[in-house]
Amino acid sequence: MSCTLSLNNISCCLGDRTLFRNVTINLTHKDKIAVLGPNGAGKTTLLKAIVGLQTISTGHFEIHHKRLETEKDFALARREVGFLFQDPDDQIIAPTVIEEVAFGLLNEGMKQSEAVAKAEAMLDELHISHLRDRITLNLSGGEKKMVALASVLVMKPAILLLDEPSAALDAKSENKLAEILKGIDKTMLIVSHDLGFIEKIGARKMFLTENGLIEG
Amino acid sequence: MKFSPPAALFAAVIYSLLIAFRTDITVYDAFFALFLILVSIKEGLRPLLRLLRLNLIILFICATILFFHNDASYALLIFLRANLILSANLLLITPHGKMGIYYGFCGLRFPDKFTVLLFFVIKYIEILGAEYKKMRDSLKIRCFNPKTNLFTYKILGYLVGMLFIKSMEKAKSLHHAMILRGFKGKLYPFNTHPLAGSDTLLAIVLVAQTILTFWQVI
């Protein structure tokens, strides 16, 4: 099976503190991997590094066998990657739900009617059509998370990077999100503390330590 | 009766300008504001209560003029002008909520740079307001009792400092989100409200008010 995402000997330091070193992992198509670890282990930093938002000390990333080195490489790679932020408020950048979900498509130059139709279909798929015209600022935490996920999925990314997807969700919303993520056949790298949630998705567990990723 | 955000914003700005430059207020100047009160009767007492709250500041300014400059007519002029402008703005803009202003400017074809900045200002005032409330509640839970002593000022300093740091962190996260989503300086708003029949009525009354104002000046 061909490799979708490769992390090769990645090391990252913040100041004089080494967060992690020699992180190596290959994710093939439809692989779901959960990265677990204590607070401050660098889990979110690792996700940010994959999309070029964090500089690394050593190593390199590959997406579809293409080595990412320059900002231009990362900019192109970001089209293949969907990133779900821990705090959906940081991710949502449009006033209403439908505009938020259609934003990425319109930004790519798609016609408005087509973008709206695709955004509506995505809202339907995630069972959140009733939120269509709601102001994003007035949504609850769980609703914001679902809207953020819809705006990521509508772009049809090959790889999903999810940063604490179940954080601040109630049991019902968490189950709903787990069910949705379980049903998505994409390469996924999930950062979470929630073992129960990871098991519901059926992801392979790996622990991030200072000396790399260890199979859990 | 509800007007579309661009029409409401435009009418509010024009009426505010007409009234702001008046040197004496007559009953004719209140024509537009009275029309708005009549068509907003369904809103009940809510706008009036808001106006009363805002009047605390206006009354303070008027009192300052009255006591320090001894000019009762100028204080009255400011009071009437401010109340007419505020009532028109309250009745026209507040029914659309926070995002109404953003959609209003988008509808009026303001540049993307301005509308995008305006949207993020509205969004982050709300988010940072919530952060401030969280921190204030945390102090309350921990039995913080503000007094006029150094400890209180130090804690309030921490609060302002933390809010500043949180703002910086939010700005960084937003920047990251923009990079990840390929943001090109546009938000593509399409959920705007089209012009309605009520906007025509608003335009007629606004034109009538403009004629009345200029007729008084001449």
Side-chain angles (χ1 to χ4, degrees):
Chain A
M1 183 87 52
S2 71
C3 236
T4 311
L5 172 67
S6 294
L7 282 69
N8 301 302
N9 287 315
I10 307 295
S11 303
C12 186
C13 303
L14 283 184
D16 53 0
R17 189 169 82 96
T18 305
L19 281 178
F20 49 81
R21 62 173 81 92
N22 303 326
V23 171
T24 300
I25 187 173
N26 295 318
L27 281 91
T28 53
H29 186 53
K30 295 182 185 178
D31 258 355
K32 286 178 187 168
I33 290 182
V35 179
L36 301 141
N39 289 332
K43 301 183 296 293
T44 300
T45 308
L46 180 66
L47 286 194
K48 284 187 173 175
I50 295 170
V51 284
L53 295 178
Q54 174 73 45
T55 47
I56 50 170
S57 316
T58 59
H60 69 272
F61 299 102
E62 279 176 29
I63 287 182
H64 299 313
H65 300 289
K66 188 170 181 340
R67 196 174 163 138
L68 310 178
E69 281 169 336
T70 61
E71 174 53 30
K72 202 177 164 188
D73 295 335
F74 280 107
L76 283 171
R78 282 176 204 133
R79 292 184 182 183
E80 297 285 324
V81 179
F83 195 113
L84 188 73
F85 280 58
Q86 186 175 353
D87 182 356
D89 270 328
D90 297 334
Q91 183 161 358
I92 292 173
I93 56 173
T96 61
V97 170
I98 187 71
E99 284 169 333
E100 167 62 23
V101 181
F103 167 80
L105 301 169
L106 292 166
N107 203 38
E108 297 243 299
M110 192 180 278
K111 267 169 57 184
Q112 190 179 302
S113 53
E114 206 181 326
V116 172
K118 284 194 174 187
E120 280 171 343
M122 183 47 68
L123 292 178
D124 258 346
E125 214 175 308
L126 300 187
H127 311 291
I128 49 169
S129 302
H130 58 286
L131 302 176
R132 189 193 185 280
D133 294 316
R134 290 270 302 275
I135 299 284
T136 49
L137 269 176
N138 302 337
L139 299 174
S140 71
E143 287 169 339
K144 278 182 189 169
K145 205 92 179 188
M146 294 305 285
V147 170
L149 182 67
S151 59
V152 166
L153 293 179
V154 80
M155 300 303 291
K156 307 256 179 255
I159 302 158
L160 280 176
L161 304 179
L162 313 173
D163 190 5
E164 301 276 5
S166 61
L169 290 185
D170 61 27
K172 196 180 159 195
S173 310
E174 193 187 300
N175 286 336
K176 192 176 160 188
L177 184 66
E179 206 176 296
I180 289 163
L181 292 178
K182 195 178 178 184
I184 296 171
D185 281 335
K186 285 184 193 295
T187 307
M188 271 186 217
L189 196 60
I190 308 151
V191 157
S192 183
H193 282 293
D194 191 343
L195 278 168
F197 181 76
I198 298 300
E199 270 157 22
K200 278 180 213 161
I201 299 172
R204 207 169 99 211
K205 291 190 276 284
M206 296 198 94
F207 288 89
L208 183 65
T209 66
E210 206 181 306
N211 295 317
L213 277 171
I214 300 166
E215 192 91 31
Chain B
M1 193 182 287
K2 207 172 169 182
F3 309 105
S4 71
L9 193 67
F10 180 74
V13 171
I14 296 295
Y15 182 64
S16 300
L17 285 174
L18 285 175
I19 298 301
F21 289 108
R22 294 283 291 137
T23 47
D24 55 334
I25 298 286
T26 66
V27 72
Y28 298 115
D29 293 312
F31 173 66
F32 187 70
L34 286 172
F35 159 76
L36 291 176
I37 292 168
L38 275 176
V39 296
S40 310
I41 221 108
K42 268 188 189 167
E43 297 266 327
L45 289 173
R46 223 168 41 178
L48 184 71
L49 289 172
R50 274 189 177 156
L51 188 65
L52 283 176
R53 242 180 288 157
L54 287 166
N55 259 294
L56 290 175
I57 306 163
I58 299 165
L59 283 171
F60 175 74
I61 296 166
C62 293
T64 317
I65 295 166
L66 197 63
F67 290 120
F68 291 105
H69 297 280
N70 245 340
D71 193 345
S73 59
Y74 191 53
L76 185 67
L77 175 71
I78 286 182
F79 177 77
L80 290 173
R81 261 199 322 216
N83 271 288
L84 283 177
I85 292 171
L86 279 175
S87 53
N89 278 279
L90 276 174
L91 294 168
L92 280 168
I93 296 168
T94 47
H96 297 290
K98 289 166 282 229
M99 288 302 159
I101 304 170
Y102 165 72
Y103 281 121
F105 279 110
C106 288
L108 291 172
R109 302 278 184 271
F110 267 65
D112 288 326
K113 241 178 205 166
F114 175 80
T115 53
V116 166
L117 275 175
L118 179 74
F119 168 70
F120 285 122
V121 166
I122 296 170
K123 181 181 165 174
Y124 280 93
I125 284 176
E126 184 89 357
I127 290 173
L128 291 174
E131 288 287 341
Y132 168 73
K133 200 178 165 291
K134 260 191 250 172
M135 288 195 284
R136 206 187 53 188
D137 289 348
S138 144
L139 285 176
K140 260 189 209 168
I141 288 162
R142 295 161 79 182
C143 303
F144 173 69
N145 189 16
K147 290 175 187 156
T148 50
N149 57 19
L150 200 64
F151 177 72
T152 300
Y153 298 135
K154 208 164 94 176
I155 297 298
L156 292 177
Y158 288 160
L159 201 128
V160 173
M162 282 305 291
L163 206 60
F164 184 69
I165 291 166
K166 284 188 180 189
S167 312
M168 300 276 281
E169 278 172 2
K170 290 271 169 205
K172 198 174 157 194
S173 300
L174 177 69
H175 183 228
H176 283 169
M178 284 172 165
I179 292 172
L180 283 173
R181 301 184 72 184
F183 184 69
K184 293 170 190 158
K186 274 182 89 171
L187 278 180
Y188 315 99
F190 55 82
N191 227 4
T192 46
H193 309 263
L195 292 176
S198 56
D199 295 331
T200 317
L201 182 64
L202 185 73
I204 292 167
V205 179
L206 185 66
V207 169
Q209 177 67 71
T210 313
I211 293 167
L212 270 174
T213 308
F214 281 104
W215 171 68
Q216 288 180 90
V217 173
I218 296 161

